[in-house]
Every structure is written in C-alpha cells, then in structure tokens.
Amino acid sequence: MNKRLDRKPDLFPHTFHEPDQPEAPLFTSVDDVSARLAETGYLASPAVATTVFLADRLGKPLLVEGPAGVGKTELAKAVAEVAGARLVRLQCYEGVDESRALYEWNHAKQLLRISAGRDETWDEARTDIFSEEFLLPRPLLTAIRGDDPKVLLIDETDKADVEVEGLLLEVLSDFQVTVPELGTVTATRRPFVVLTSNASRELSEALRRRCLFLHIGFPDEELERRIVRLKVPGLTEALTESVVRVVGALRAMDLRKVPSVAETIDWARTLLALGADTLDEQVVRDSLGVILKHQDDIQKAAAKLDLDAL
Amino acid sequence: MSTGADALADLADRLTGLVGALRAHGVRIGTGETVDAGRAIEALGLAEREPLREGLAATLLHGTGQRAVFDQVFDLYFPRGTGGPGTGPGDRDELRERLAAALADDDTALLRQLAAEAVNGLGGYGSSPGSDGWSSYQTLDRLRPQTLLARVRADVRARDGSGAEFTDRLLDDEIRRRIEAFRGMVAAEARRRVAERRGRDEIARRAVAPSADRVDFLFAGRDQLTELRRTVQPLARKLATRLAARRRRAARGTIDLRRTLRGSLSTGGVPMRPVLRRRRPVRPELVLLCDVSGSVSGFSDFTMLLVQALHDQFSKVRVFAFVNRIDEVTGLLEHGRADPEGLGARIRAEATLTGWHGSSDYGMALGEFAERYGAAVGPRTTVFVLGDARTNNLDPNVAAVRNLARQARRFYWLNPEQRSLWGTGDSAAPDYAELVEMHECRTARQLSGLIARLLPV
C-alpha cells in the first residue's frame, strides 16, 4: 500500500464510528427551555418552549413557520447561544444548489496541485486531489462534521427549489452526506436543526414528515408587553400597554400586511424617540407609517381608529 | 401492577383514537408520527395539559390550517375534566352577573369555569337516555352573552377612568372578542359533555367543524367566509410561486427535431447541438364570468378576490358579474378600492345585474355577454365561468356558450355543486358540460388545486 492511501482513513475519522450515540440533552424540562431562552433575550411562548424541548429530546429537526417578523430566525440564534453551539446557517434562495448547500471541490486548487506534481502517476495524483484538503464544505456538510455542538439553521426553506428538498431529506433523516469520492460522512454529534419557512411555497410532505412542526403566531398581549419591555426598556408602562393594545386591534382587522412583533418594537422605539408619554391622536397619526406598510392599510386603520383625515 | 398497564393501554387507545379522528378530518398522519407523538407524551409527562397539546400538535400536524380542527379534537380526547362542574345549576341572572365581571377582568380561567357552569345549568335537554344531550346553541340563546357589551364597557370605564384615553376606542372590539372567545368555550364544553354521553369517536367525527379550506362554499356561514377571505393573500402568493415555477419549466422547452436534424447536416449527420423549440411569448388574458346570485355568491366573491390577487400574473384580467343580466365589475375589484368584506354588496349595488326579475338566467346573461363584450374573448383569452348552472328552467342558450368556447383559447366552467347533483332539478350543468370542461369546485382546497392546474402560463 502506498503512502497516500495510508493516510486516507483518518480523513474523516468519525465516519467509522457508530452513529447516534445518545448525548446529554440540552434541556431538562419545558420550563428550563423558557428560562434559559429568556436569559438570552428571547421570550418564548409555551408552544415554542414545548416544541424546542421536544426537538431536543426526540432529536428531530424543527420546522418553524409563521408570518415575517415574529422571531423565527432569532429562535435558532437563541438556541445556539443557550447550547453554547456554533450556528451554521444556510440561507436558501431560488437557484441554491448542491455546491452551495453541501460541498464543492476546489477546482482551482486541484489544478494547481496537478500542475505542481508533474512527475507522479495519474493514480497518485487522483487520490490526492480528491482528499479533504481540496474539499470546500458548505453549511450542510459543516453542520454534521466535527464533534463540537452545532445548530444548523436552514433559513427560508420555501425559497429554494424543489430539488434542494431532496438533498435535505438525506441530511435531515439520517444526518449523513454522501461524497462519491470519499464515502459517506455520518454525524457523530447531531446538530440541532431549525428550518424556517414563510409558506410562499408548500413544502413537500416528505420533508414535513421528518420535522416537528411549529407555527409561531403573534404573541398574546401579556407576552408582547414583556417583549416590548425587554427590547425598549425606556418606555413607560402605560404607553407599553397602549401600544400593544393598538397593535392587537390592527391585527384583528382585515389588512394587507398586519403589523408583526418587529413592527411593534419599531413603533415603541419611535414613540420613545418622539418623546411621547401618552398615545393620542396626533402621535398615532404621525407614526402610523412605522407599523403599516401600505397606503390602503393606513387609510383603513385611520377610519377604524377615528383619526381625522390623514 | 395491572392498573398501570391498563392506564398505559388506555393512553395508547386515546392517542390512536385522536389520530383516527384527525385522519377522518383529512389530516394525513403516518404511523411514524403517531410513534413520535407517543415519545412526546413520554418526554413531557401527563402532569400538564397545555404542553401536551403543543407537543402532540408539533408531532402530528404538518401545517397551520389543521390547527383549529386539532384543538377541538384534542379537547375531546384529553378533556380538562370529566362530568359537570361541582357547583349546582346556577340562576341565569346570577350567571350573567358573574360573566359580566369576568369579561371586564378578561379572566380566562374564570370564563372557562363559567362556560362549564352555563352548559351544565342551561344547556341540558331531553330526559331519556339516548335522546338527551347538551346544546351550546340553547345555552347561548338563554345566556345571551352578546347583550352584556354595554354593561361590561361601563364596568371597565368606571374602573379605569373616564374613557378619554385614546386606546378606549378599541374597548368595544376587545370586549366583542372576549365574548366571541367565551362562545367558543361554551361550544367546546357542550361537545365534551355530549362526547361523554355518546362516545367521543363519533362526536369527534361529526361535531368538529372542518378547517376553512374544506368547507363547502354553498353551505359556508358568514364567519367561515370571513376566515376564507383572510386566506386569499397567502393562497395567491403560493399560487403565484407555483405558476412561476411552471413558467420556468415551460421556458426550457423541448427539442425541435426538425431544426436539430437540419443543423446536424453540417457535422455529418451527428446532432452535436440540439436546438430547443422556441416558445412564443404569450400574454395570457383572463376573463371571469361570475354568477353572484344568492348562495353561489360566496364562491364567486372568493374566486374574484383570488384572481384579482393574482392579477400581476396576467396581461389583462376582466371580471364580469351576472344574475340574469351581465355587467363588467373589473373596476370594483381594483386594489385600494377592494374592501373584501363589502365586495358582494357593492357589486350588487353598482352594477346592473338584473332586469325584469331577480333570479338567475344563464342563457340570457351569457347571450348578453356574447353580444356586448364578445370582443373581450380572443385567441389569447382563457375564460372561466363560475356558477352552479341552475337556470330556473329557462333556455340555457347553449349556442352562445359554444360560440364563446370556439373564440377562446381555453374555456372552463367551475361548478360549486357536487357532481352528483348536476342535472337534477333546474340544473343545466350537463348541457354545458358537453361543450366545455366543467369542474366540480366545492371547497377552497379544490379551487386552489384547479387554479394551479388550469390557469394559463
């Protein structure tokens, strides 16, 4: 056996381990999830805390859906912070493919290597250029290699093409990736996986089956007040309550784009910057554009809230 | 030891019963998910009910649309308690008194308890086993929670101050929402009590309201139509994505054999470069003819809004409404003007839809369309007719439809009636179905499937 082949087995040492060693779970109970997420500044509703706890216990990926701006991506970041894990993020977009999601060979470097070693045989060169040194790992491969804890965030999964879902199926059900030249890489330590979706496309049933499903809706009044208090600490208690009530009323209306939590916080910040101490007609009229993004919506809301002509 | 095993077997039964009931409501759940649900119960324990609900929802469901059905079924299989509340049947006025106080405080736990007491005290009917039961309708009819609005408002104002504050103008709506929530609690409680009497499997299949996209358009109530309208925008976004994907695929084209062979002559007959067939860029146009009479109007309104939300996918969308005369309503649907709630009323007020009498006449309306707006239908146009084809035994004017179908690129008819009823009574559906493609379209789910398939790209 020649020297180079000898080196091969330790390219992916973990490949030959038994996969799926049970690890110490991240959380001890549902309340533990809420408490520790709250420490990082993420206030979780009971539904969110329960589902995160289960995703950790059952070792399944978590598919999070919900309107824009309710904290889907933030959830993944908060879990990573709590677990002391590295966040590996795959941002999906139309046309994302295997070489962006999984791995790619570094062609330029391979060419350099071939032209540098002119005197060796083809077999030797081939063995060498398809080794780990020339592999560019992309998020999915990165997430399942290595022994350190990781959180894999696959953001806006619905933006990716249907073909990418097929790719995700192998990764998410078995936590393994097949690189034809190297063999199959299996995770020794499963990452905590979060997929987010805005539901602009129906994800395939096969993908959904492999995940726990969590819908993050708008928070209830009590939770939203706590969020505003946490993010905009300077706002008075009375004003916080008024802001949350008005936003709640707007959400009940039939608007093209209802305000999300992100808009509530923006509005609270705006009011703080304006130095308002109570919510009155003038203030609301001046700042309605912060929470509503369509002219029709602003008109409709103004009619509803009895504001004078805008 | 055997009691522990019994309890476990009972829990497994409960879980499979829950899964069975959900499947009966069209939620697709595999065995793998049921096993996951079992593991979730194991991890969460049975001490608390709400985490259990969320845990089962996370493992069993795959989408948001199924959550309403799930919550109702869950309440039946994992009830909060059994039997009636400990307190005896209270007096109606005293109950109203306490309800008003609870609504003013927005105390959910107390409201739930009051719902249980109300069903127990006011909702029972019948005396012989087999015909007795609990009715949420009767409870609410006797309790009349909606009439408490003024009182609750006064209570809250008296407590919090004069009512000069800006947010006080929201108070009415907030109280209305609380009352609505209370009505939901009463309904859930009555269902639970009936299920104890009749067996929960049966009640879970019959008495649980289906999710909005499975509600029959012809039988949908006002609330369900409102809920459906809220799904228009997300649905349109989904359909637009699907249409765009179809368009991309179509643009890739197929091999043009003639030109490939012609090109291969220069390489000695070997087709080195395949030539793809070029597609002519078409600018699809859409014409919608909607029956807006009576019960069909819920279906027409929904479809009109959906097509309008998709308008940027087409070069031109024209919408016509008819009862027995036809008029163009495209302008009424424009963005900014389209207040979805009042759409039907506005169409009936501003367009000329009837003459002589008020019942629908497809023959007359379609004939008038061919006469007045015939130019709207050309070789690039796809026409959709929405209606049940019940023409009150008047002449269906098959000739007009035949001519229109000949002029148009595609001509489809979406019928909100179930197929087995076509041709019964005054339905002229079979006559039209001979000439044009007619599809049954009873629910929002069917409609989105059809639109994704039939719309031109």
Side-chain angles (χ1 to χ4, degrees), chain B residues 259-273:
Chain B
R259 284 170 55 220
T260 306
L261 285 179
R262 183 78 174 74
S264 75
L265 291 183
S266 62
T267 49
V270 181
M272 298 285 279
R273 238 174 318 176

Side-chain angles (χ1 to χ4, degrees), chain A residues 30 47 50-51 53-54 57-58 60 65 94 161 198-202 205 208-209 211-213 215 221 242 245-246 248-249 251-254 256 279-281 284 296 300 304-307, chain B residues 28-30 33 36 39-40 43-44 48 51-52 54-59 61-64 165-171 173-174 177 229-230 233-234 237-238 241 248 335-336 339-341:
Chain A
V30 176
T50 310
T51 318
F53 173 71
L54 280 180
R57 277 297 161 94
L58 305 189
K60 294 192 91 180
E65 276 189 2
E94 208 173 293
D161 303 314
N198 263 327
S200 72
R201 176 170 68 81
E202 204 62 71
E205 196 74 4
R208 286 172 180 277
R209 272 183 198 292
C211 303
L212 292 184
F213 178 77
H215 177 261
E221 269 191 32
S242 308
R245 274 179 77 183
V246 172
R251 282 188 194 138
M253 288 172 61
D254 207 355
R256 280 175 70 187
L279 217 51
D280 59 34
E281 219 160 274
V284 174
D296 332 348
K300 214 188 260 183
K304 179 81 185 176
L305 298 172
D306 292 332
L307 299 180
Chain B
R28 288 180 21 209
I29 301 174
E33 282 103 308
D36 279 340
R39 289 170 63 201
L44 292 167
E48 275 181 280
L52 190 64
E54 299 301 338
L56 289 183
T59 45
L61 302 185
H62 301 122
T64 25
E165 281 225 18
F166 178 77
T167 41
D168 273 357
R169 40 188 97 167
L170 308 173
L171 192 60
D173 280 335
E174 283 174 3
R177 257 179 280 156
R229 269 198 300 272
R230 281 173 171 270
Q233 288 297 340
R237 217 161 41 117
K238 244 175 241 179
T241 321
R248 260 201 315 280
H335 265 310
D339 159 33
E341 216 160 322

